[in-house]
């Protein structure tokens, strides 16, 4: 999954990543969902990937919230994934999940 979001064309531009994923919906429904199944590790995590991206173009502040807005995922699905994986994480990963939760809360309020 991490390979997918770091190696697609334009990998560090959330709009390019989302466009690539939407052209291949199975990646959203199968592969990308794994972000909530697999713990990140030092050197291989979405937190590290997003640290290399411009704000507003990351997975946590664009791709995942926009996936909810566009109906690929639900607020509940992402919220459940955050609750499941945010426990017992290293501090930098816990911060990433906290930031993602704040983004998902914004999307939820928009509805």
């Amino acid at each position: 999954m991490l390979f997918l979001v770091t190696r697609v064309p334009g990998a560090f531009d959330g709009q390019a990543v989302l466009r690539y994923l939407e052209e291949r919906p199975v990646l959203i429904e199968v592969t990308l969902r794994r972000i909530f199944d697999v713990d990140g590790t030092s050197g291989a995590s979405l937190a590290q990937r997003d640290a290399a991206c411009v704000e507003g173009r990351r997975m946590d502040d664009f791709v995942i919230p926009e996936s909810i807005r566009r109906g690929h995922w639900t607020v509940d699905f992402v919220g459940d994934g955050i609750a499941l994986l945010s426990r017992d994480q290293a501090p930098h990963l816990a911060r990433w999940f906290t930031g993602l939760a704040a983004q998902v809360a914004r999307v939820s309020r928009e509805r």
Side-chain angles (χ1 to χ4, degrees), residues 8-60:
V8 300
F12 293 98
D13 176 354
Q15 290 181 342
V17 170
L18 189 57
R19 185 173 35 255
Y20 182 88
L21 294 171
E22 287 181 326
E23 290 169 357
R24 297 154 184 88
V26 70
L27 294 176
I28 296 169
E29 290 304 313
V30 177
T31 307
L32 194 61
R33 283 179 172 259
R34 298 296 315 255
I35 64 175
F36 301 116
D37 294 337
V38 179
D39 289 340
T41 62
S42 181
S45 70
L46 288 177
Q48 182 176 349
R49 180 238 182 246
D50 279 357
C53 295
V54 175
E55 190 172 326
R57 303 289 187 158
R58 301 182 315 227
M59 294 297 293
D60 66 346

Side-chain angles (χ1 to χ4, degrees), residues 50-71:
D50 279 357
C53 295
V54 175
E55 190 172 326
R57 303 289 187 158
R58 301 182 315 227
M59 294 297 293
D60 66 346
D61 69 2
F62 180 77
V63 176
I64 295 171
E66 195 61 24
S67 294
I68 296 169
R69 286 184 190 99
R70 296 181 185 194

